[in-house]
Amino acid sequence: MISMLSIRPFRPEDAPRIRDITVACFDGVSIDQNIERLLGVVADLPWQARKAAQVEDDCRAHPEGVFVAEVAGEVAGYVTTRINPHTRTGWIPHLAVDRRFRGRGIARALLAHAQRDLRKRGMIAAKIETLEQNTAGASLFPKLGFQEVARQIHYIKPLGPDVDEE
Ligand SMILES: CC(C)(COP(=O)(O)OP(=O)(O)OC[C@H]1O[C@@H](n2cnc3c(N)ncnc32)[C@H](O)[C@@H]1OP(=O)(O)O)[C@@H](O)C(=O)NCCC(=O)NCCS
């Protein structure tokens, strides 16, 4: 773990920095980017805007469960969480660390913080997902005790006039 690292709750003024980290970090590990590679930009909304909007949704839905990692006053990464008091299963939808700060345990620290917060809010389990193409995620989560429960295949098909004849 690096010195000068602190983890604190998200503040609305973090939003632009979180957006920049998101767009840089999810390059190569985004379903919407995979779709864009196949179909081109869909509905004038590039994958970066789609991914940033998902993270913004997390920040709106459960802002007190979003945490940022600061190194010497700079936001180096973030984690988002969601809670479901009915199922008592928390969710960790997004985690990202700026490339300049990687390999120093920041993701581990963010995930530890997220899990403690979920537990504090009454969750008894936490879900997290990663893409098969994401070697970092697939290596990290089992190391922290997350057990694989399912694999899902995502498909896409453009809807042209031919679907009317199918
Ligand atoms: C995944 C990510 C958050 C890791 O951040 P990080 O701060 O560098 O991670 P840590 O230093 O805490 O590393 C913890 C573990 O992650 C794994 N890991 C991190 N980078 C890795 C890489 N490039 N390749 C393989 N494993 C990697 C390792 O298992 C590592 O454990 P180790 O320290 O025992 O080797 C970062 O690479 C990232 O932002 N990636 C893009 C977004 C993403 O994939 N988010 C997670 C899935 S939603």
Side-chain angles (χ1 to χ4, degrees):
M1 169 102 53
I2 54 176
S3 58
M4 317 269 285
L5 172 68
S6 67
I7 296 186
R8 61 158 178 83
F10 160 79
R11 298 195 284 254
E13 57 268 32
D14 296 321
R17 173 72 179 134
I18 286 180
R19 189 185 176 94
D20 289 347
I21 292 175
T22 301
V23 165
C25 287
F26 284 92
D27 190 359
V29 288
S30 151
I31 292 173
D32 285 306
Q33 187 184 35
N34 289 0
I35 291 172
E36 197 169 300
R37 282 185 180 136
L38 274 178
L39 303 185
V41 174
V42 177
D44 291 329
L45 208 53
W47 72 266
Q48 293 94 334
R50 292 168 185 263
K51 180 49 96 177
Q54 290 168 15
V55 177
E56 280 158 19
D57 276 352
D58 294 344
C59 295
R60 247 191 315 274
H62 185 45
E64 49 284 286
V66 178
F67 301 98
V68 303
E70 268 189 355
V71 177
E74 186 177 358
V75 173
Y78 69 85
V79 64
T80 69
T81 69
R82 303 256 193 153
I83 54 169
N84 184 328
H86 180 61
T87 64
R88 297 185 70 193
T89 302
W91 181 30
I92 304 177
H94 290 102
L95 163 75
V97 173
D98 182 324
R99 281 190 173 75
R100 289 181 294 125
F101 296 93
R102 286 190 188 166
R104 306 191 219 168
I106 295 179
R108 278 176 188 266
L110 281 165
L111 284 172
H113 196 92
Q115 289 171 79
R116 281 193 297 271
D117 189 72
L118 288 171
R119 197 169 131 81
K120 197 179 80 191
R121 295 180 195 281
M123 300 300 106
I124 55 178
K127 271 194 312 181
I128 195 161
E129 302 111 32
T130 196
L131 301 186
E132 196 167 34
Q133 71 207 59
N134 189 340
T135 47
S139 161
L140 171 60
F141 304 146
K143 276 188 186 169
L144 300 183
F146 289 90
Q147 296 179 72
E148 180 173 334
V149 286
R151 288 183 183 223
Q152 192 174 41
I153 306 179
H154 291 245
Y155 296 93
I156 190 84
K157 176 185 173 182
L159 299 180
D162 49 319
V163 297
D164 295 334
E165 273 92 61
E166 280 176 10

